[in-house]
Structures are given as C-alpha cells and as structure tokens.
Amino acid sequence: MDKNMASLLSSLRCFQWLTTGALLALASGARAQEAPRAGEPGRLAIRVNRPGARISPRFFGMMTEEINHAYDGGLYAELIQNRALQDDATRPVHWSLTQNGGGTGSLTLDMSQPVPGTALTRCLRLDIANAGAGRSVGVANDGYWGVPVQTGVRYRASFWAKASAGATGPLTLALESETGNAVYALARVPKITTEWRKYQATLTAPRSVAPTSQARFVISSAQPGALWLTQVSLFPPTYHRRSRGLRPDLMGLLADLKPTFLRLPGGNYLDPGRYEWKKTIGALDQRAGHPGAWEYRSSDGLGLLEFFRWCEDLHIEALLGVTDGRGWLPNNGDVAPLVQDALDEIEYATGGPETQWGARRIKDGHRAPFALRYVEIGNEDNFDPLPVYNARFAKFYDAIRAKYPGLQIIATRADVTSRRPDVIDDHYYRSAQAMAADAAHYDRYARSGPKIFVGEWASVEGRPTPTMKAALGDAAWLTGLERNSDLVIMEAYAPLLVNVNPGAAQWPTNLIGYDALRAYGSPAYYVQAMFGQNTGDVVLPVEIALPSSPQADVRRGKIGVGTWNTQAEFKDIRVTSAGGETLYADSLASGKSDLQPQGGEWSVQDGALRQAGTGQNLRATVGDATWTDYTLSLRARKTGGREGFLILFHAQGDDDFLWWNVGGWGNTRSAIERERGGRSEIGAPAAVTIETNLWYDVRVEVRGTSVRCYLNDKLVNEATDAAPMTFYAASSRDLKTGDVILKAVNFSPVPQPMQIELEGAAGVASEARATTLSGPLEAVNTVNNPKNVAPRVSTVKGAGRTFRHEFPANSVTVLRVRARK
C-alpha cells in the first residue's frame, strides 16, 4: 500500500447501495418479500436448491510486504538487528560496547576490512585495551526491541570473525539481561584466526530461566588486541526446523487462516522499493540487503527462495509480483531489462535443470520447480500517468505471454488499455462503516471483463491492530466479495503483520501483532480465520428482510459548496422545498455570505462567493440539518486548479454529508460520494470535464433517499442515499459434506433475531454449529491480552428447514447446518 493511496483507491469503482427498510436481494435469482413489521424477527432465506457460482479455490489469500518490521523483526526469525552493519553509514547502530570487571576498550564501524568473496563490506572493530582474568570487553546487540529468551530453547549463533595476533580467543557468547547482571545462556568459541572465517555455536537457555523479551546478545573476549566481527546471527527454533527460517508462532497464526495463496514479495517492497530479486538469493554472505520502502533497511535474509518455501510450508500457491520500475525508473526509462528480469525470475521459480535460472534454484537447494499460476506487473501504478503503465504493461504482457502462455497476468490498474489483463488488482483502505456500506460493490459489475483480485484492503480503525468495529466492517465487506466470487477470484487483507513496539510500525491498522516473544491475532484476524476455515464450494443465494423503519427512507441535512485542489466561484445559491417554498436564498448580492467556511480562503466578490485557496476538502455550508426533500440550485465556475467543484447536501456534520464531486479525479469524471466515517461512491460515475472560467448551472434534487444531479439541465449522476445497513450475509455450500454455511454480520448495538429458512433443502440435521465473534466496538487484543476478543463455538439446537436464531449485538457468526446432499 502507498502512504497516500487510500482516498484515490477508494474511489476507483462504484457500488450499489442496498436499503434496510425492505428485503435485500443479495444474490442473483433472489426473490422479493415483504419486510417484517417493527418488533418482529427478521427473515433470512437461503436458496439451497438454487446454487450459484463456484467459489474460487484460491479465494482467501495473504498479502505481505516489509512494513512494520514484518520480515526483519517479525516473521524472519533472525534475532540480531543490523547483523551485516549496513543500517547506518557512520555508526554501528544497535551495537554497543560492554566492559566488565575493569576491562576497557572501544568500538567502531570499520569499512576497511571486507570479507573476501562476499558482500560483507562492513564490520565491527573491537579494540580491547585492558583485559585478562575477570576483565572482559565485548559487543552487545539489542535485537528488535529486545532479544527474546525462552525456557529450555536452543539458539544457534553464527558470525564471521578475525583477530589480531595474540587476541585469537577464546570468545564468550552470552544471552544476558539488558544490564548484564543476569546471564541466561552461554557458549564458547575456543579459538579464532587472524584471517576471516565463519564460526558457529549453540546456546541453550536452562529450564530455570523465566521467559523474557528484553535480553541482549553479547560476544566478548578477555584478551587485549583487535577483534573484527560481521554478519553476527542468532536464530531460535524455526517453523518446520528450516535453517534460518521463520517464527513458528507467526507461521501457526498464518496457517490457521487457511490461506490459499501468498502475494509476494508484496506492495511497496516491490515498487517503489525496487526489489532486485537476484540480490536476495544464494548464501547469506552474498546478500548485502537493500533500503526498504518504509524508512528502514531490509536484510534480504527472507529472499526470493525463502518466499517460495514459505508458500511450500503452508501448502499454498505463490502469486508473484514483478517490478516494472514504478517510483524509481523515469517515465521514459527503458523497461526492457526489467522485462528480462521478470522472465528470469519466473524461470528461477518454475524452470527445470536445463534452464539457466532453474539450475540456479537447484544449486540454491530446491530441486523441484514451484507451481506458479499468477504474475502481477508492478504495484499500485495508479500513481504514474496511464500512458506510462500502458506502455510498460504491454511489453511485460507480450514477453510473458509468449514464453509462459499458461500464466495469468494481473494489472495493477483497471483502466489499462494497451493489453487486456486476465485479472485486475483493486485496493481499498477505509473506515469500518465505509467498508460495510460498500459490501455490494461488485454485485452489479459486468462479468465480461477481467476477473478481480482485491489485493489489499482493510477497515482502518485501531492501532496497531484492528478494533472489533473494524472486524465488523471487514466481515461485512467479505460477505460481498464471497457472494461475487465468480468475479472476485482472490482477496488479501493488508497489512498482515506488525511489530507492536513503539517505533516499529509504519501503518496504523494491521492484522497480527507481536513483540520479540509473543504474538496475537486481532478481532479482524479471527474474522479472516472464521471465513477462511469455512469456505464452501458454491454460492447460495441469500435474502434478508429486516423489520421496517419509517426513518430508513428519510434523509436530511444542510447544503454547501467546496473545492479540492481548485479555485472556484459560486452564486445564485437557492434551496426550495418539494412544495416550492424557498428555504434559503443567498445574500451575496449585498456583499456578504451566510455560508460557514471550513478551511480555504473564502470571500465575496462581484456578487459571488470565491474560494481562492489551493488545498483539499475546502468547504462552506449553510442551512438546517432537518431539511429534507429539497432542490439545491446554484451557478458555479472553476477559476483555476486541477479539478472542478463540490456541491454538498444531506450534511449533518464535518464527517457526515454527501457531495456531488463535479470534475473530480483530475477533472476526468463526476460522482456522488458519501462521507460517513469514510468516503465512498454511491451510484454510477460519469465522464465530466469542467472548463475554466465557464459558468455552469447546477441543480441537485433530493427526495426521500433519491438523489438526482443536473449540470446545465442535463441529468449527470443519480443514486440512492439509503440509511446504513445493519445486517449482512453470504451463504455457500460444502459439496463434500452437504453443509450449508451461513456467514452473518450484525453491525448493530442490539441483538437481531432472525427466522432462518433453508429453502429447497431435502433434509436438515436438528443441530447446527455456530462460531461467533462479538464484543464492544472499541475492544482490541494485545500481547498481554491476546484473547480479549476471540470466537466461541456453540451448538444450535432445533435446527431444521426453518428455525430461529438470535445474532448477538456487534457480532460475526458462521453457522454450519448439515443438509442432505
């Protein structure tokens, strides 16, 4: 994800808004029914006899990148930070001098002693002035916010070293407290040489040691002289006992998600991070590491082969992203070397021993080729001009299609026209309410275009991991994705991982949190796990009817005007009721304005309200929050800037309004957008360009929940501004077991009783299984309270073709009912 992407990407596509006051037809073939009266239970009908689309076998997946110390200091189990001394050009950061028993010395970063034949160009130089019996000097590493020590665990240390004559050992290796007062584990290297060599040792923490995350790792000597060290490494036990592998606790959490693929190497780590995969393979001493995209350096210990082994260990597929130069290659730069690099990378993963790069993979330790089905070209290329991506995508597409015709090729923007991609990668980061409101996003998409990969998305609420409210937004959004699995063939929450220590995170809301010793899943993690562990084979149509509410069909609010990266003027502002009564007429002709500004440079000049500022989201509003069923008319003209103008209505507050964005998105189109804790489009957009210094007649008509927007008396946009939904659902069937799987979200502070009908089921077991996640909206999990919000499993008695079930307030429920196949 890009640091400034959220507002752009959330507006790339439109959605169909569904009302709550009547039946919600949530799948093709759904049948309309009368809504229950207030006070009655709702109705939820699952059409078991009308199976729909097959659910993609690769639907639930994972996306990860080196952000929030997800790899170094996270999944990659290395405990030493700055092991190859590349993190700072002048100082040995994360290393410090230790002096014990009167020993003295000094520590410097030395760039004059590279290890021959390796990429190790920097080292620590420890000059020991005074040492001997009881007196030692050493170097200590503080790890990633501490080095963890666990009871009875064996740690494998390795390092390159050499010494001056007379200072060749022995060396003592220790895991000890931050002050050095307590020693948890020891090992010795009896002797080193005056030439560079690699050494190894094992340290074992005894069973008497209490676990801690705040230890340090020390290498010390009691002999005067000079000692050089580099690529100092310390590993605990790893997942599947792989050499220099991954953290078992984090891999266990990932395995429990039941993912089917991993998008690698992921996000900005690829571009604009400039991921050069050929520098991440081979022996560790050949990997110099590289600057990451999120203001810290990557060690490249988790390189391309390790990514594929990660997939292999979880029995999932790789979705390979290849760099196209976004963010670092000039727009007119030659991408031919990058195209060849992508072909080589695919060959490394899939080639046989007769190929150059397949043979290299075998040499690196993996004889069998990896399965590869999808290749994505670039990352978030919406931040480059379309012609740039069009040209680059065509070159990658042609070369990959020619050599690997069976691969599916993914584009990172939906408007690419130079070639037709097999799949489009969509990204969305919004509030929980906005994600839930957009659950029907793909319901009315044409099925004739490319398939969709929702490659990054999340309800961004909670720091460093999501709240229960975010989990509800995620679950509601997922019901819509699963319901449209014939089109949306893959999805992946992002970001996946975060080190929760202060200073470790770059992104606010992340799925799984951890420190050096402990890890936990957030409420949103449990939503992903509940859905991933209960995936059916075919979609079943679902119909929802909630008790009617007279207020659901009434929308109210003030009016206003605004700009975004633009200067504009407005005049003749008038609001009339549906009956023709004037509710408001501006006083601009008198040289004053009643509109209350919020940001910008507003003034009245020549009978018009002028906004001369250059910023974004500059607004001015007026009126009564109880206004309903009115027509807003005015004249507007753009006087400068990159876009058109904004017309506000149904405004209740600073973060609760609608606006008609006329000439937005770089002055290319217009759409109605809703802001209620997050911005999303309603209705279909239209191609509109606003000319500078030309007056336009603007009219917005609001009647009940209906919105119609006119420009120069021509209808341009229309939509329905319905009250927010509170209940979302999707259903599927497991063809092996016959189970009907219902996924339901009650995004409401009160329980929702529902009459569940399994229409067309030949026979239904009398007991069902419910997995339920619920809790206060702001509830979170932490390393100290990892199960504060966690699913509970219960048995539902009295199930049948028709039965009643109450869904708790603020809850996500997966209900499995055994039905005759």
Side-chain angles (χ1 to χ4, degrees), residues 630-645:
Y630 56 78
T631 297
L632 165 63
S633 61
L634 58 98
R635 303 192 75 202
R637 74 170 174 178
K638 167 186 173 180
T639 59
R642 295 183 293 177
E643 303 206 350
F645 38 79

Side-chain angles (χ1 to χ4, degrees), residues 704-721:
T705 61
S706 173
V707 179
R708 295 168 68 86
C709 300
Y710 297 83
L711 202 61
N712 292 337
D713 289 325
K714 179 182 178 181
L715 179 63
V716 176
N717 295 102
E718 58 183 329
T720 299
D721 179 25

Side-chain angles (χ1 to χ4, degrees), residues 57 59-62 252-261 314 316 525 528-529 531-535:
F59 185 70
F60 289 101
M62 300 188 301
L253 285 167
L254 298 181
D256 286 345
L257 290 172
K258 300 299 180 186
T260 57
F261 69 89
L314 294 182
I316 62 178
Y525 165 85
Q528 294 283 327
F531 278 48
Q533 293 169 10
N534 293 280
T535 304

Side-chain angles (χ1 to χ4, degrees), residues 15 434-443 476-477 479-481 483-484 728:
F15 66 85
M435 291 301 289
D438 202 10
H441 188 100
Y442 294 103
D443 282 5
W477 171 254
T479 63
L481 298 189
R483 185 171 61 250
N484 288 283
Y728 305 80

